[in-house]
Amino acid sequence: MIAVLVIDMQKAFFEDPSLERRQEDTVQACNTLIAAAKQNNVNVLLIKTEHEEDKSTWTLNMLEDDQGFIFRGTAQAEFVPGLTTEGLPQLLKTRDSAFLGTDLLLRLRNWNVDTIVLAGVSTHNCIAQTAADAFGHNIRVIHAADATASEDGEAAAAARASSPVSTASGFSR
């Protein structure tokens, strides 16, 4: 079984000028992927990052810089406008990998998933970390190249090169 994971398609990440330029195309590609998944009865999970202002969920670099990011309930934490979200389950994370400190593995096992399609931002960071942890759990990984974006093009290309690449279509169960 396949599941689609759409990672960090939130306003905060698209504040970066290089990602802001790609927002519309990335949203459109994610929506195409979500529509194809729904049409083929493939589970879709929206994954987003949120932190608490009290520093209890901050990453090491946030603690060292004493600067938090994407606080729960703020506009930064909202999904970007236009992204298909209605009726889709969501998962909150506080680390780059969507597996760390979440119930993602349990959800995937409940869905009998052996392959995930990754979309969203940032290809070289949160998507790459999630892909690495999926591999560690014997879950195959496909990067939906058209539905991912990164503020570091070279690092993103290297991350995509380490996994099979797919477009937003062609689901089979």
Side-chain angles (χ1 to χ4, degrees):
M1 284 288 208
I2 296 174
V4 173
L5 309 183
V6 180
I7 299 175
D8 290 339
M9 290 294 292
Q10 295 165 264
K11 291 179 179 180
F13 293 103
F14 288 91
E15 291 173 356
D16 182 285
S18 59
L19 283 177
E20 183 180 31
R21 288 188 291 275
R22 302 244 0 252
Q23 181 176 330
E24 187 176 328
D25 291 342
T26 307
V27 168
Q28 184 177 12
C30 284
N31 286 344
T32 300
L33 181 63
I34 291 167
K38 286 180 169 183
Q39 186 174 37
N40 288 280
N41 296 315
V42 170
N43 289 305
V44 176
L45 182 61
L46 301 175
I47 300 171
K48 62 192 240 178
T49 300
E50 287 187 5
H51 289 283
E52 299 295 333
E53 292 188 44
D54 70 357
K55 301 182 183 183
S56 63
T57 62
W58 290 20
T59 62
L60 184 58
N61 62 326
M62 292 166 68
L63 290 167
E64 289 173 348
D65 294 344
D66 198 33
Q67 293 184 3
F69 186 59
I70 311 180
F71 296 123
R72 180 173 47 94
T74 65
Q76 279 190 325
E78 295 173 3
F79 288 113
V80 291
L83 181 69
T84 300
T85 61
E86 187 175 339
L88 296 176
Q90 298 180 19
L91 176 95
L92 294 178
K93 66 182 182 71
T94 60
R95 294 296 182 267
D96 291 345
S97 173
F99 285 93
L100 190 58
T102 72
D103 66 351
L104 178 57
L105 184 60
L106 176 65
R107 291 181 191 217
L108 296 176
R109 296 291 187 237
N110 285 343
W111 288 339
N112 296 313
V113 168
D114 59 9
T115 304
I116 57 174
V117 177
L118 298 178
V121 296
S122 284
T123 308
H124 71 288
N125 201 1
C126 295
I127 292 173
Q129 291 296 318
T130 299
D133 285 347
F135 181 80
H137 290 293
N138 291 331
I139 298 170
R140 290 176 187 84
V141 176
I142 299 169
H143 289 270
D146 293 345
T148 60
S150 181
E151 60 277 10
D152 184 335
E154 287 182 29
R160 279 193 303 267
S162 67
S163 294
V165 177
S166 173
T167 61
S169 62
F171 280 107
S172 62
R173 295 185 60 160

